[in-house]
Amino acid sequence: MTLNQGENLEDMLQAVLETLLETTGIESGWIFLIDEVGQHRLVAASGLPEGLKYQDCLPLKQGGCWCMNKYKNNELPHAVNIMNCKRLEQANLYNWGGTDNLERHATIPIRAGIEGLGIMNVASAHIDEFDETELELLETVAYQMGAAVKRFQLFLQEQERTMLLSKLGSYLALQTEWSNEQEFLVHTSETLMKLFHWSGLQVQAQESVYNFGQRNRQQRKIKVGFKDSDLQLVVFSDSFSQGSTMVLQEIATHLSLQLEKIEIERRKQNIVRTEERNRLARDLHDSVNQLLFSLILHAKGLEKRVKDEHINASIQSIHSLGTEALKELKQLIYQLRPEGLEFGLVAAIQKYGQLLGLVVHIEAKGLKGLTDEQELCLWRVIQEAMNNTKKHSGVTELFVTFQFSSECVQVLIKDHGVGFKPEKSTTGIGLKTMAERIKEVSGTVQVHSNAGNGTSIVIEVPTT
């Protein structure tokens, strides 16, 4: 009857132990529950001598003993008599208090089927040894305890599972659309740590590793398939519940799907941009380019027919302006659709430099592959820098250095021209466009310049 009463496991076991001792006339008893890694927890005690009650039952809560060792080694299939108790011996040895002449006790395993859950010890100064009938009775009670403990554990697990699923639902409800992996992971990690009270989080996707919060000793790892490798989620917390693995699996799967969605969306945007550039390049080539070419031909024809010097000078001016406009249009078309990039970034830079009339000195240190997206991004930014050098620097030489490391590529673009003050450069969109492009590949760009001292641009793009 007592086993079926109460909603708190420890209160129920305490009441059962007291009822058992009262019914049998045994003076002392205590119950340990033992988890799957062998850690024991004192959950009930009654009639303890002073030596075992020392400092809030410290002799029972710390250290091991012979009955505990037998349980962990699977040498305790049935109730047995323990002739000498290590905990009682230590109480006498360290003068923790009297033991009321207790020296030995019976140890009874608490099980649910074949699953071990803990042990119960009972002792009496008037009983030197429990007989078989008494041990069988105690064992029957312990089996009933085991069934009740298991029922409580299943109830608590279901409660916890419901709570974790509720938190998982809250996490999913807070998710929004993201276009940047790092911003998505920062927001997601902060949300997860707050909801689940985790101290730290690590996400490893392909060659990228993101760390958030703080690490501690206890951690759980989950892997899910992601592209050609795995996404690994490592969670750090003071404690983990049995249902946490299920939640971690769901979160890791969601992270991998979201990261893949961000990648697909970025590729889609790149395709749209590329198609739009190609369309503009075709339209400019087929319309404006042809019109300018016709204008130049007409001007050239008029030069031969018109004899008036003043009119002829105007025609020559039209011819010259048309030629310059045609040259700039070809540069613009080349920027929109860089036909030389298939031969590599260095070759494209050299070809574009020749088109602009710049002498470009290129140096590459180290060797590491760039993704198509990174290569195209760097190409666009370097093009913008080359255009600025041609238009504003007053020099025809440019120096471009690539420095590859295991973590990033650094690009230094430098000229020795007239320079400018970046903080006062409020016109135009060149510098802003550079920063926006580099941000798309999680990189940074810095511009250093002073009037009369040239200009240098430092770009860093992560490659891991």
Side-chain angles (χ1 to χ4, degrees), residues 263-277 372-374 376 440-441:
E263 176 68 19
I264 291 171
E265 186 61 29
R266 182 166 56 238
R267 289 182 180 179
K268 179 182 174 182
Q269 290 176 359
N270 287 337
I271 291 171
V272 170
R273 282 197 294 264
T274 300
E275 289 178 347
E276 182 63 15
R277 289 193 188 104
D372 292 343
E373 183 183 5
Q374 289 171 335
L376 183 58
E440 288 179 359
V441 290

PDB file of all heavy atoms in Angstrom, residues 263-277 372-374 376 440-441:
ATOM      1  N   GLU A 263      22.975  27.738 -48.000  1.00  0.00           N
ATOM      2  CA  GLU A 263      23.914  27.545 -49.099  1.00  0.00           C
ATOM      3  C   GLU A 263      23.184  27.519 -50.450  1.00  0.00           C
ATOM      4  O   GLU A 263      23.634  28.136 -51.430  1.00  0.00           O
ATOM      5  CB  GLU A 263      24.674  26.232 -48.892  1.00  0.00           C
ATOM      6  CG  GLU A 263      25.618  25.849 -50.017  1.00  0.00           C
ATOM      7  CD  GLU A 263      26.807  26.784 -50.141  1.00  0.00           C
ATOM      8  OE1 GLU A 263      27.119  27.500 -49.175  1.00  0.00           O
ATOM      9  OE2 GLU A 263      27.424  26.803 -51.224  1.00  0.00           O
ATOM     10  N   ILE A 264      22.063  26.816 -50.496  1.00  0.00           N
ATOM     11  CA  ILE A 264      21.285  26.739 -51.744  1.00  0.00           C
ATOM     12  C   ILE A 264      20.766  28.121 -52.140  1.00  0.00           C
ATOM     13  O   ILE A 264      20.812  28.512 -53.312  1.00  0.00           O
ATOM     14  CB  ILE A 264      20.116  25.745 -51.591  1.00  0.00           C
ATOM     15  CG1 ILE A 264      20.658  24.313 -51.486  1.00  0.00           C
ATOM     16  CG2 ILE A 264      19.146  25.862 -52.752  1.00  0.00           C
ATOM     17  CD1 ILE A 264      19.619  23.290 -51.113  1.00  0.00           C
ATOM     18  N   GLU A 265      20.271  28.885 -51.142  1.00  0.00           N
ATOM     19  CA  GLU A 265      19.753  30.222 -51.423  1.00  0.00           C
ATOM     20  C   GLU A 265      20.860  31.145 -51.931  1.00  0.00           C
ATOM     21  O   GLU A 265      20.647  31.943 -52.840  1.00  0.00           O
ATOM     22  CB  GLU A 265      19.120  30.797 -50.163  1.00  0.00           C
ATOM     23  CG  GLU A 265      18.420  32.131 -50.362  1.00  0.00           C
ATOM     24  CD  GLU A 265      17.279  32.079 -51.347  1.00  0.00           C
ATOM     25  OE1 GLU A 265      16.652  30.994 -51.478  1.00  0.00           O
ATOM     26  OE2 GLU A 265      17.002  33.106 -52.000  1.00  0.00           O
ATOM     27  N   ARG A 266      22.070  31.023 -51.339  1.00  0.00           N
ATOM     28  CA  ARG A 266      23.180  31.863 -51.788  1.00  0.00           C
ATOM     29  C   ARG A 266      23.565  31.508 -53.227  1.00  0.00           C
ATOM     30  O   ARG A 266      23.824  32.397 -54.048  1.00  0.00           O
ATOM     31  CB  ARG A 266      24.376  31.699 -50.856  1.00  0.00           C
ATOM     32  CG  ARG A 266      25.544  32.607 -51.263  1.00  0.00           C
ATOM     33  CD  ARG A 266      26.605  32.724 -50.200  1.00  0.00           C
ATOM     34  NE  ARG A 266      27.117  31.439 -49.817  1.00  0.00           N
ATOM     35  CZ  ARG A 266      27.088  30.960 -48.582  1.00  0.00           C
ATOM     36  NH1 ARG A 266      26.550  31.664 -47.617  1.00  0.00           N
ATOM     37  NH2 ARG A 266      27.587  29.774 -48.287  1.00  0.00           N
ATOM     38  N   ARG A 267      23.598  30.217 -53.516  1.00  0.00           N
ATOM     39  CA  ARG A 267      23.929  29.810 -54.884  1.00  0.00           C
ATOM     40  C   ARG A 267      22.861  30.296 -55.864  1.00  0.00           C
ATOM     41  O   ARG A 267      23.178  30.719 -56.987  1.00  0.00           O
ATOM     42  CB  ARG A 267      24.047  28.289 -54.966  1.00  0.00           C
ATOM     43  CG  ARG A 267      25.286  27.734 -54.269  1.00  0.00           C
ATOM     44  CD  ARG A 267      25.366  26.237 -54.421  1.00  0.00           C
ATOM     45  NE  ARG A 267      26.545  25.688 -53.765  1.00  0.00           N
ATOM     46  CZ  ARG A 267      26.846  24.405 -53.734  1.00  0.00           C
ATOM     47  NH1 ARG A 267      26.055  23.536 -54.333  1.00  0.00           N
ATOM     48  NH2 ARG A 267      27.923  23.981 -53.109  1.00  0.00           N
ATOM     49  N   LYS A 268      21.621  30.226 -55.434  1.00  0.00           N
ATOM     50  CA  LYS A 268      20.527  30.707 -56.276  1.00  0.00           C
ATOM     51  C   LYS A 268      20.694  32.193 -56.569  1.00  0.00           C
ATOM     52  O   LYS A 268      20.530  32.635 -57.713  1.00  0.00           O
ATOM     53  CB  LYS A 268      19.195  30.443 -55.576  1.00  0.00           C
ATOM     54  CG  LYS A 268      17.982  30.922 -56.344  1.00  0.00           C
ATOM     55  CD  LYS A 268      16.706  30.657 -55.563  1.00  0.00           C
ATOM     56  CE  LYS A 268      15.498  31.255 -56.262  1.00  0.00           C
ATOM     57  NZ  LYS A 268      14.255  31.048 -55.475  1.00  0.00           N
ATOM     58  N   GLN A 269      21.027  32.985 -55.524  1.00  0.00           N
ATOM     59  CA  GLN A 269      21.225  34.419 -55.716  1.00  0.00           C
ATOM     60  C   GLN A 269      22.410  34.697 -56.647  1.00  0.00           C
ATOM     61  O   GLN A 269      22.356  35.607 -57.478  1.00  0.00           O
ATOM     62  CB  GLN A 269      21.437  35.098 -54.368  1.00  0.00           C
ATOM     63  CG  GLN A 269      20.186  35.131 -53.502  1.00  0.00           C
ATOM     64  CD  GLN A 269      20.447  35.723 -52.143  1.00  0.00           C
ATOM     65  OE1 GLN A 269      21.580  36.104 -51.819  1.00  0.00           O
ATOM     66  NE2 GLN A 269      19.415  35.799 -51.316  1.00  0.00           N
ATOM     67  N   ASN A 270      23.476  33.896 -56.490  1.00  0.00           N
ATOM     68  CA  ASN A 270      24.638  34.072 -57.363  1.00  0.00           C
ATOM     69  C   ASN A 270      24.281  33.780 -58.815  1.00  0.00           C
ATOM     70  O   ASN A 270      24.729  34.473 -59.738  1.00  0.00           O
ATOM     71  CB  ASN A 270      25.781  33.149 -56.912  1.00  0.00           C
ATOM     72  CG  ASN A 270      26.439  33.628 -55.634  1.00  0.00           C
ATOM     73  OD1 ASN A 270      26.368  34.809 -55.311  1.00  0.00           O
ATOM     74  ND2 ASN A 270      27.064  32.722 -54.903  1.00  0.00           N
ATOM     75  N   ILE A 271      23.464  32.730 -59.012  1.00  0.00           N
ATOM     76  CA  ILE A 271      23.042  32.393 -60.373  1.00  0.00           C
ATOM     77  C   ILE A 271      22.197  33.515 -60.961  1.00  0.00           C
ATOM     78  O   ILE A 271      22.364  33.910 -62.123  1.00  0.00           O
ATOM     79  CB  ILE A 271      22.266  31.060 -60.375  1.00  0.00           C
ATOM     80  CG1 ILE A 271      23.219  29.896 -60.064  1.00  0.00           C
ATOM     81  CG2 ILE A 271      21.579  30.842 -61.713  1.00  0.00           C
ATOM     82  CD1 ILE A 271      22.510  28.586 -59.832  1.00  0.00           C
ATOM     83  N   VAL A 272      21.274  34.047 -60.135  1.00  0.00           N
ATOM     84  CA  VAL A 272      20.422  35.149 -60.601  1.00  0.00           C
ATOM     85  C   VAL A 272      21.264  36.364 -60.964  1.00  0.00           C
ATOM     86  O   VAL A 272      21.050  37.004 -62.007  1.00  0.00           O
ATOM     87  CB  VAL A 272      19.378  35.518 -59.523  1.00  0.00           C
ATOM     88  CG1 VAL A 272      18.655  36.810 -59.888  1.00  0.00           C
ATOM     89  CG2 VAL A 272      18.377  34.383 -59.353  1.00  0.00           C
ATOM     90  N   ARG A 273      22.253  36.680 -60.086  1.00  0.00           N
ATOM     91  CA  ARG A 273      23.121  37.835 -60.363  1.00  0.00           C
ATOM     92  C   ARG A 273      23.938  37.612 -61.637  1.00  0.00           C
ATOM     93  O   ARG A 273      24.113  38.516 -62.455  1.00  0.00           O
ATOM     94  CB  ARG A 273      24.039  38.103 -59.175  1.00  0.00           C
ATOM     95  CG  ARG A 273      23.366  38.822 -58.027  1.00  0.00           C
ATOM     96  CD  ARG A 273      24.396  39.423 -57.090  1.00  0.00           C
ATOM     97  NE  ARG A 273      25.163  38.396 -56.417  1.00  0.00           N
ATOM     98  CZ  ARG A 273      24.885  37.937 -55.194  1.00  0.00           C
ATOM     99  NH1 ARG A 273      23.846  38.410 -54.543  1.00  0.00           N
ATOM    100  NH2 ARG A 273      25.626  37.011 -54.640  1.00  0.00           N
ATOM    101  N   THR A 274      24.459  36.382 -61.774  1.00  0.00           N
ATOM    102  CA  THR A 274      25.270  36.083 -62.953  1.00  0.00           C
ATOM    103  C   THR A 274      24.441  36.180 -64.225  1.00  0.00           C
ATOM    104  O   THR A 274      24.877  36.735 -65.243  1.00  0.00           O
ATOM    105  CB  THR A 274      25.866  34.674 -62.834  1.00  0.00           C
ATOM    106  OG1 THR A 274      26.688  34.608 -61.664  1.00  0.00           O
ATOM    107  CG2 THR A 274      26.731  34.338 -64.048  1.00  0.00           C
ATOM    108  N   GLU A 275      23.220  35.639 -64.172  1.00  0.00           N
ATOM    109  CA  GLU A 275      22.348  35.715 -65.337  1.00  0.00           C
ATOM    110  C   GLU A 275      22.001  37.156 -65.673  1.00  0.00           C
ATOM    111  O   GLU A 275      21.926  37.541 -66.847  1.00  0.00           O
ATOM    112  CB  GLU A 275      21.072  34.904 -65.087  1.00  0.00           C
ATOM    113  CG  GLU A 275      21.306  33.397 -65.080  1.00  0.00           C
ATOM    114  CD  GLU A 275      20.037  32.628 -64.774  1.00  0.00           C
ATOM    115  OE1 GLU A 275      19.054  33.263 -64.335  1.00  0.00           O
ATOM    116  OE2 GLU A 275      20.037  31.397 -64.974  1.00  0.00           O
ATOM    117  N   GLU A 276      21.776  37.971 -64.649  1.00  0.00           N
ATOM    118  CA  GLU A 276      21.452  39.381 -64.877  1.00  0.00           C
ATOM    119  C   GLU A 276      22.648  40.112 -65.474  1.00  0.00           C
ATOM    120  O   GLU A 276      22.490  40.937 -66.403  1.00  0.00           O
ATOM    121  CB  GLU A 276      21.023  40.036 -63.568  1.00  0.00           C
ATOM    122  CG  GLU A 276      20.606  41.495 -63.685  1.00  0.00           C
ATOM    123  CD  GLU A 276      19.381  41.698 -64.563  1.00  0.00           C
ATOM    124  OE1 GLU A 276      18.680  40.709 -64.867  1.00  0.00           O
ATOM    125  OE2 GLU A 276      19.124  42.846 -64.961  1.00  0.00           O
ATOM    126  N   ARG A 277      23.847  39.801 -64.975  1.00  0.00           N
ATOM    127  CA  ARG A 277      25.051  40.440 -65.550  1.00  0.00           C
ATOM    128  C   ARG A 277      25.216  40.028 -67.015  1.00  0.00           C
ATOM    129  O   ARG A 277      25.564  40.852 -67.867  1.00  0.00           O
ATOM    130  CB  ARG A 277      26.288  40.025 -64.752  1.00  0.00           C
ATOM    131  CG  ARG A 277      26.372  40.620 -63.358  1.00  0.00           C
ATOM    132  CD  ARG A 277      27.761  40.409 -62.793  1.00  0.00           C
ATOM    133  NE  ARG A 277      27.813  40.796 -61.390  1.00  0.00           N
ATOM    134  CZ  ARG A 277      27.833  39.938 -60.382  1.00  0.00           C
ATOM    135  NH1 ARG A 277      27.807  38.648 -60.625  1.00  0.00           N
ATOM    136  NH2 ARG A 277      27.881  40.363 -59.133  1.00  0.00           N
ATOM    137  N   ASP A 372      34.537  28.628 -56.146  1.00  0.00           N
ATOM    138  CA  ASP A 372      34.126  29.475 -57.270  1.00  0.00           C
ATOM    139  C   ASP A 372      33.557  30.791 -56.768  1.00  0.00           C
ATOM    140  O   ASP A 372      33.804  31.862 -57.348  1.00  0.00           O
ATOM    141  CB  ASP A 372      33.076  28.751 -58.111  1.00  0.00           C
ATOM    142  CG  ASP A 372      33.663  27.552 -58.845  1.00  0.00           C
ATOM    143  OD1 ASP A 372      34.898  27.486 -58.967  1.00  0.00           O
ATOM    144  OD2 ASP A 372      32.882  26.690 -59.291  1.00  0.00           O
ATOM    145  N   GLU A 373      32.786  30.720 -55.673  1.00  0.00           N
ATOM    146  CA  GLU A 373      32.171  31.929 -55.116  1.00  0.00           C
ATOM    147  C   GLU A 373      33.233  32.893 -54.594  1.00  0.00           C
ATOM    148  O   GLU A 373      33.165  34.103 -54.829  1.00  0.00           O
ATOM    149  CB  GLU A 373      31.212  31.547 -53.987  1.00  0.00           C
ATOM    150  CG  GLU A 373      30.480  32.737 -53.397  1.00  0.00           C
ATOM    151  CD  GLU A 373      29.599  32.350 -52.226  1.00  0.00           C
ATOM    152  OE1 GLU A 373      29.637  31.175 -51.827  1.00  0.00           O
ATOM    153  OE2 GLU A 373      28.904  33.234 -51.699  1.00  0.00           O
ATOM    154  N   GLN A 374      34.237  32.357 -53.887  1.00  0.00           N
ATOM    155  CA  GLN A 374      35.304  33.207 -53.358  1.00  0.00           C
ATOM    156  C   GLN A 374      36.121  33.828 -54.488  1.00  0.00           C
ATOM    157  O   GLN A 374      36.465  35.016 -54.442  1.00  0.00           O
ATOM    158  CB  GLN A 374      36.217  32.376 -52.446  1.00  0.00           C
ATOM    159  CG  GLN A 374      35.575  31.974 -51.128  1.00  0.00           C
ATOM    160  CD  GLN A 374      36.429  30.974 -50.367  1.00  0.00           C
ATOM    161  OE1 GLN A 374      37.221  30.238 -50.947  1.00  0.00           O
ATOM    162  NE2 GLN A 374      36.255  30.940 -49.054  1.00  0.00           N
ATOM    163  N   LEU A 376      35.201  34.452 -57.610  1.00  0.00           N
ATOM    164  CA  LEU A 376      34.437  35.475 -58.305  1.00  0.00           C
ATOM    165  C   LEU A 376      34.321  36.746 -57.469  1.00  0.00           C
ATOM    166  O   LEU A 376      34.435  37.863 -57.997  1.00  0.00           O
ATOM    167  CB  LEU A 376      33.038  34.946 -58.646  1.00  0.00           C
ATOM    168  CG  LEU A 376      32.131  35.889 -59.436  1.00  0.00           C
ATOM    169  CD1 LEU A 376      32.774  36.279 -60.758  1.00  0.00           C
ATOM    170  CD2 LEU A 376      30.766  35.263 -59.667  1.00  0.00           C
ATOM    171  N   GLU A 440      29.779  38.896 -48.153  1.00  0.00           N
ATOM    172  CA  GLU A 440      29.032  37.746 -48.655  1.00  0.00           C
ATOM    173  C   GLU A 440      29.816  36.450 -48.497  1.00  0.00           C
ATOM    174  O   GLU A 440      29.220  35.370 -48.418  1.00  0.00           O
ATOM    175  CB  GLU A 440      28.673  37.949 -50.126  1.00  0.00           C
ATOM    176  CG  GLU A 440      27.594  39.008 -50.347  1.00  0.00           C
ATOM    177  CD  GLU A 440      27.277  39.193 -51.820  1.00  0.00           C
ATOM    178  OE1 GLU A 440      27.922  38.510 -52.644  1.00  0.00           O
ATOM    179  OE2 GLU A 440      26.397  40.004 -52.141  1.00  0.00           O
ATOM    180  N   VAL A 441      31.150  36.518 -48.456  1.00  0.00           N
ATOM    181  CA  VAL A 441      31.966  35.315 -48.260  1.00  0.00           C
ATOM    182  C   VAL A 441      32.625  35.347 -46.882  1.00  0.00           C
ATOM    183  O   VAL A 441      33.686  34.754 -46.670  1.00  0.00           O
ATOM    184  CB  VAL A 441      33.025  35.173 -49.380  1.00  0.00           C
ATOM    185  CG1 VAL A 441      32.364  34.835 -50.696  1.00  0.00           C
ATOM    186  CG2 VAL A 441      33.878  36.439 -49.503  1.00  0.00           C
TER     187      VAL A 441
END
